[in-house]
Structure formats: C-alpha cells, structure tokens
C-alpha cells in the first residue's frame, strides 16, 4: 500500500483516497470560503430561513412555537453554517483537480496555500473597511 493513499476499510468495498487530494481540496475550499465570504453569508442565511420555515410546520400551536424560538433559531443557524461548507468542499476539490492537471501535485498545494493567505488578507481588509463605515 503506498503512503500517499488512505484506505477506508470500514466500507464493504476497498476505497483508497489520496492524501494529497484531501489536503489540496481542503486548502482550496478554505481559500474559496475565505474569498467568497459574501456568498457564504448568503448561503447560510438562505439555509437558516429554510430550516426555520421547515421547523415551523412541525408545531401546531403558536404558543409552543414561540416558547423555544430563540434556541431553535440558533441551532438552525449552526446547522446552516455547517451545511454551507459542503458546496465549497466540492468546489475546492474541483479547483484542486483542475490546477493539478496543469501544475502538478506539489505546486497545486503551494498555490492553494498562497490562495488561502490571500483570501485571509482579503477578508481581514474587508472587515476593516466595513467596520470603519
């Protein structure tokens, strides 16, 4: 078994995933998550609204719904923020695969690290600019 793959033996089928794919896709998804923060906020808000709407249909009385509303809305916000990372993981895997075709594995991970740093700088500057307004 090569060192570059991780076997998943708890599946009935043998499945090996490249560790460079996991690292590269994670780096690229983090870079996209940081640099597309407005899209992340919009996705999280949309999912939160949908979760709140879907949960409202489970209650028959308005009084029961209002008693635990703030707790449920914060839990729905937490779930929405977790689920909003899934599209960015898929986009990160696609970006890693696309750049690996042209650059190679090592350079792709390096470019992913650079994009993460640039996304972090962008996010820090954007927060500073919004707080001064």
């Amino acid at each position: 078994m090569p060192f570059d793959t991780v076997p998943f033996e708890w599946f009935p089928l043998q499945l090996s995933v490249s560790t460079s794919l996991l690292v590269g896709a994670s780096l690229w998804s983090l870079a996209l998550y940081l640099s597309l923060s407005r899209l992340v906020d919009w996705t999280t808000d949309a999912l939160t609204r949908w979760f709140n709407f879907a949960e409202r249909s489970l209650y028959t009385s308005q009084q029961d719904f209002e008693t635990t509303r703030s707790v449920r809305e914060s839990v729905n916000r937490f779930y929405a923020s977790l689920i909003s990372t899934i599209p960015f993981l898929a986009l990160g895997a696609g970006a890693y695969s696309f750049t690996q075709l042209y650059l190679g594995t090592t350079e792709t991970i390096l470019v992913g690290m650079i994009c993460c740093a640039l996304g972090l700088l962008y996010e820090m500057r954007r927060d500073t600019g919004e707080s001064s307004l």
Side-chain angles (χ1 to χ4, degrees):
M1 179 175 68
F3 291 110
D4 196 31
T5 60
V6 177
F8 290 107
E9 295 176 0
W10 40 272
F11 280 131
L13 302 172
Q14 279 294 77
L15 178 67
S16 296
V17 176
S18 170
T19 54
S20 62
L21 174 68
L22 292 175
V23 170
S26 300
L27 281 172
W28 277 99
S29 64
L30 178 62
L32 291 171
Y33 195 83
L34 289 172
S35 61
L36 301 174
S37 60
R38 290 193 175 122
L39 181 62
V40 172
D41 293 341
W42 180 82
T43 306
T44 304
D45 290 340
L47 284 170
T48 302
R49 281 192 308 271
W50 187 80
F51 286 157
N52 289 337
F53 175 75
E55 194 169 34
R56 173 63 186 110
S57 65
L58 299 175
Y59 289 88
T60 56
S61 71
Q62 185 70 20
Q63 184 181 8
D64 291 341
F65 177 72
E66 293 295 331
T67 56
T68 60
R69 183 178 191 162
S70 63
V71 175
R72 284 182 289 101
E73 285 180 351
S74 63
V75 168
N76 288 342
R77 181 76 176 177
F78 173 72
Y79 289 148
S81 66
L82 285 179
I83 291 174
S84 71
T85 60
I86 293 172
F88 290 96
L89 287 171
L91 286 172
Y96 171 78
S97 300
F98 180 73
T99 54
Q100 188 183 18
L101 288 174
Y102 295 105
L103 297 177
T105 302
T106 307
E107 291 82 7
T108 302
I109 291 175
L110 178 66
V111 171
M113 291 172 69
I114 292 170
C115 288
C116 282
L118 290 174
L120 182 62
L121 289 174
Y122 169 74
E123 184 63 27
M124 288 171 48
R125 179 65 184 145
R126 189 181 70 87
D127 285 345
T128 304
E130 287 179 358
S131 66
S132 66
L133 295 176

